[in-house]
Amino acid sequence: MERYVDGFVLAVPEEKLDAYRDMASEAGELWIDHGALEYFEGVGDDMEPDMGGMAVRTFPELADTGEDDAVVFSFIVFESREHRDEVNAKVMDDPAMDPDAFDEEMPFDSERMAYGGFRSIVGHER
């Protein structure tokens, strides 16, 4: 089966990581409840890896992080693009996504978020 992945890279101020984690945990439950196969959020740990001299663009460069920002890498796995579209439509229609239901502002700057949908071309599982 060809899987489909929505991927995200974003900068989160270190002081807002706990708030982001809480928001992401709720979002993950929402996506899983509406049919996503997997939901993952990770915070940067090794952001300047030794690539043996190979020049690469780092995630902090991609996310345009400041000195007090963390990089968050996230992905949601679906059965297919069609499945992604169905799940995301259900999520967006869920009352939990109503902007009026949010007590606080987003704990990150959405203008520095990179997002895209990816169709799988190689996949290995244990």
Side-chain angles (χ1 to χ4, degrees):
M1 170 178 20
E2 182 178 296
R3 301 279 173 99
Y4 199 83
V5 175
D6 276 353
F8 308 82
V9 175
L10 53 137
V12 177
E14 294 274 355
E15 65 187 24
K16 294 184 178 183
L17 267 177
D18 287 340
Y20 182 84
R21 181 183 300 112
D22 292 344
M23 181 196 72
S25 181
E26 291 175 15
E29 289 178 14
L30 191 62
W31 258 268
I32 294 297
D33 287 349
H34 286 296
L37 302 179
E38 184 178 354
Y39 185 99
F40 173 87
E41 299 264 359
V43 65
D45 180 56
D46 183 12
M47 296 288 92
E48 300 290 333
D50 179 3
M51 299 296 291
M54 182 172 62
V56 297
R57 186 168 187 194
T58 65
F59 279 104
E61 291 171 329
L62 178 67
D64 191 26
T65 57
E67 196 172 294
D68 297 324
D69 291 329
V71 175
V72 172
F73 174 74
S74 311
F75 62 87
I76 309 169
V77 180
F78 305 93
E79 294 171 3
S80 63
R81 182 172 180 175
E82 294 77 21
H83 180 238
R84 186 275 304 256
D85 293 345
E86 292 169 10
V87 169
N88 284 350
K90 290 176 188 176
V91 168
M92 292 303 131
D93 285 341
D94 193 293
M97 292 299 288
D98 180 354
D100 294 333
F102 301 143
D103 294 332
E104 300 177 18
E105 68 180 56
M106 296 293 270
F108 66 94
D109 178 1
S110 64
E111 291 185 11
R112 293 191 294 157
M113 177 177 73
Y115 161 76
F118 299 82
R119 61 183 174 81
S120 62
I121 59 172
V122 175
H124 300 278
E125 294 183 37
R126 184 171 294 269

